[in-house]
Amino acid sequence: MSGIAIVGMSGRFPGAKSVKELWDLVREGRESIRQFSWDEIDARDPAVLSRDPSYVRARGVLDGVADFDAPFFGVTPREAELMDPQHRVFLELCWEVLEDAGWDPARYPGSIGIFAGQSLPTYFLANLASEAGVLDRITGEYQVGSYPSVLGNDKDYLATRASYKLDLSGPSMTIQSACSTSLVAVAQAVSSLLAWQCDMAIAGGVSITFPERRGYAFQEGGMVAPDGHCRPFDKDASGTVFSSGAGVVLLKRLEDALTDRDNVVAVIQGAALNNDGQRKVGFMAPSPHRQAEVIATAHAIAGFDPSTIGLVETHGTGTPLGDPIEFEGLSRAFRAGTDKTGFCALGTLKANTGHMEVAAGVSGLIKTALCVREGVIPPAHNYTASNPKIDLPSSPFYLPTELRPWPLGDHPRRAGVSAFGVGGTNAHVVLEEAPRREDSAEAPVRQDSASEGAQLLVVSARSESALQAACRNLSQVVGEVSLGDAAFTLGERRAFSHRRFVVAKDPSNAAEQLRKPFAATAAIEAPQVVFLMPGQGAQHAAMGAQLYARYEVFREEADRCLALLADAGTDLRGLLFRPAPHDPSLSQQLMQTAVAQPALFVLEVALARLWQSFGVKPSAFVGHSVGEFAAAALSGVMPLGEAARLVAARGALVQALPRGSMLSVRLPALELGPLLGPTLSIASENGPSLSVAAGPTEDIEALERALSARKVVSRRLRTSHAFHSAMMDAAVGPFGEKVRGIQLQPSSVPIVSTLFGRVAEPSELADAGYWTRHLREAVRFYPAVKAASALPGAVFLEVGPGRALSTLARQAGASSAHSSLPEPSEEGADEVASLLEAAGRLFCAGVPISVSQLAPSSARRVSLPTYPFERKRHFIEPAAPSQRAPSEAAVQPDGVGSASDDPIESLVQAQLELMRKQLEALGTVS
């Protein structure tokens, strides 16, 4: 599929702190232009003293532009103070748009570009340079000094600063074309993507000007409205109202977006740019001819029949002269392809928010993309009847006066967006709705949350308070999306040091957990994971069956091991991974050593491979008894097939021996040893005060009685044989012969030997004698765990059924030990939920786990609340009047600089007069 996908959006708008709030404002037909009282107007404005009746106290403003989360971006407080809020807000938007799209730039495999522009740096002019001498110093040092002020305010560094702070390697450039800037930036980003200069691109603009709380002096026939309201295409249209605003979109080639499971809001199919040249009456005047050309060019690039376009977001400034000229250009472009009337709605965001200047084009694009996605056409605010110089009834267009549905037809919903800049740079973009997922071979169909099962949601932030806020924000929207989609998206975002997770099966439960108070976990630096591989006794019927059903990696590795065992004469394929946990025959068969040991081997190898597929790489292995053979296969000591055959042979040899018993005793091995007779052995050192004795059943029973008399706690283990005791001697020789038939290799990952209670040397593991001794001698699990705990940041993960080894590890002093699977005795045990719980704990411990890989394969990225910046005020107030440099007006002779002699105003009036003549030449626009 062709086209450029919009996969993320972010913005700040008058009366709307987010894209979602902007959409609510537009749908409801509200206006966010602020009407100030005289007390609110900035005291620097002379109109405050004169109470000039022609002064219109209206403007669209953004809240909190003085505030910034400087530490998040590695910016010092002083640097933040000197930085134009336009740069600061743009930085935040760039981070947010990547998070909104579900991408961490540090993990994105391609290059990301930035194309954006900003307004005149009035923070520098009105605040930083207001103190006497500052402007002279900065201009005197220009190019060799005052770098913090220059770099933090100059337009040149808007895009490149963001690329630096976010480590983006694609093209990074500032675009400037007055009011069309941000839509030109979008068009340039589209071109860069199509030329494969980058793989994703941030495009947009920001306009925040100072003083913030100001209005303007109305002049008859000027470009601004006399009452502070913008009425595009209306009979009462009398001018525009300027506002602050900012917006960015994240763009990507559509085929890549579908492959990457992105949230495609809409698809740009054509983008065109041109300039009026001299074919107009003056530099500031618009040209309907060139506007028509740029619109028709965009249609041609997209291959759109104009009659299929249902909405155009116009430049729509609401001036009585500019609206008819724009309408003429639109009509010409559409009439080149259709004679139909009244099928295409006209809209303009300026009626709601005012004219956001540099940010106007991208803001209109954001609004239009949402219209296309949601299938609604918002009302044209402030519209009652058309401008008399516009022949609306015979045109292709209409002005909607209420929210109306935009039903699907025999083609995708399509729309256009225009932005025209003073100076004549025109931009037009045409877009259509995203392909429906059921029609896309690249993207599987979504499932509802109930069918997806348990999901792991991870949240992180740079501080505990920000983490609390992030959880609250997520709890408010988690019910609006698929839980699997949320899990996948959250797993793809940047992981910060303060972390939390929840495992839930439905959105309401997820929201409830997220709202609960919690103690945040701070991730440790560079944790090292130790895989604990259980031995016999942990097995149970249906172990791993739920993982086998859900995870392809587990299923493939398990099938591979089962096939190897079957080739060696031990066929467990009809026994393992069956979803019948209460089948007595299964339990009985798994109690047989000849079955239990290879069954555990299969499960542990498959489970370890599953963890590794999630990015969890072991730094060491600790294997309890037969569990060390799984460690040997995973670390390369033995080929997988040879290890499987050895385990099957080991189990069969032990199965053929006389039966015995084992007793777990609450005593250290050194204290238990003297209490044993000649027939009993220490089989295992499991803890500082926990050992296991093994031997003939009658001798174990006698020991049990003696211990009871001493009030020493003991418990008989459910085993068929006296493992790691003298009763194994008969199997040692035959097993040694089988081991000597295998080519053993040094381990690629350290194995902490439970034979030695320390890290085994590579040469020791490559010796057949090690593995024969391993069958007979005691399992020194406690010393092995103590040795493994010496690894910096050791995190233990039990890779097998049950929780016995992780419990023993904690008793041995391990600060972080987790189990993968539940105990078989747990009623309604959910293996997937248990696995996700373990993954969440690893995430919180700082283990670099690919959490998104645990989500369903059908999951896709969705828009979720972005990072809750913890902003603080970083703002330099303008100097007091006594400290300011004298203004230009103050040093001019009397009479010079009056309104009537202002050269800029004279130019504007001349241009307006030329526009009137051009409009008269056009006649009644049709």
Side-chain angles (χ1 to χ4, degrees), residues 510-558:
E512 181 182 359
Q513 291 189 65
L514 288 165
R515 285 193 294 266
K516 287 181 179 177
F518 63 93
T521 303
I524 61 177
E525 187 174 348
Q528 300 191 67
V529 181
V530 179
F531 278 11
L532 301 176
M533 318 301 288
Q536 190 170 342
Q539 75 278 2
H540 62 86
M543 61 180 182
Q546 294 173 31
L547 303 185
Y548 188 88
R550 175 154 170 171
Y551 294 108
E552 184 178 359
V553 170
F554 182 94
R555 185 165 55 252
E556 288 179 349
E557 194 66 24

Side-chain angles (χ1 to χ4, degrees), residues 297-344:
T297 301
H299 292 172
I301 292 171
F304 283 1
D305 178 340
S307 66
T308 65
I309 298 172
L311 171 67
V312 172
E313 174 70 9
T314 65
H315 189 61
T317 54
T319 59
L321 302 178
D323 284 352
I325 292 174
E326 180 175 6
F327 190 86
E328 169 69 7
L330 269 170
S331 297
R332 290 182 181 184
F334 271 69
R335 282 293 177 237
T338 180
D339 293 327
K340 294 181 180 179
T341 60
F343 62 87
C344 181

Side-chain angles (χ1 to χ4, degrees), residues 529-531 533 557 560 601 604-606 608-609 612 616-623 626-641 643-644 743-753 759-767 770-771 774 799:
V529 181
V530 179
F531 278 11
M533 318 301 288
E557 194 66 24
R560 180 184 172 203
F601 177 85
E604 291 172 17
V605 169
R609 294 298 188 202
Q612 288 174 319
V616 181
K617 307 299 182 185
S619 297
F621 290 97
V622 177
V626 73
E628 198 160 310
F629 284 83
L634 292 163
S635 64
V637 174
M638 306 172 185
L640 181 64
Q743 184 67 41
L744 301 174
Q745 301 290 335
S747 62
S748 60
V749 179
I751 293 178
V752 185
S753 167
V759 176
E761 297 294 334
S763 59
E764 292 172 328
L765 295 171
D767 180 8
Y770 174 89
W771 298 100
H774 193 276
V799 183

Side-chain angles (χ1 to χ4, degrees), residues 376-465:
V376 294
I377 294 177
H381 186 62
N382 287 335
Y383 177 79
T384 55
S386 65
N387 185 314
K389 291 185 170 58
I390 291 174
D391 185 6
L392 191 64
S394 62
S395 78
F397 311 110
Y398 69 95
L399 274 297
T401 56
E402 59 185 5
L403 184 71
R404 60 170 63 189
W406 187 355
L408 288 170
D410 54 3
H411 54 78
R413 298 187 189 100
R414 292 172 174 168
V417 183
S418 290
F420 309 130
V422 169
T425 295
N426 305 311
H428 191 78
V429 169
V430 287
L431 62 158
E432 66 182 12
E433 66 177 310
R436 297 164 206 166
R437 292 180 63 81
E438 57 268 25
D439 297 335
S440 171
E442 294 89 343
V445 180
R446 285 181 60 191
Q447 299 174 330
D448 60 38
S449 296
S451 66
E452 293 171 342
Q455 301 297 330
L456 170 64
L457 307 181
V458 296
V459 191
S460 69
R462 288 171 54 94
S463 70
E464 186 169 351
S465 54

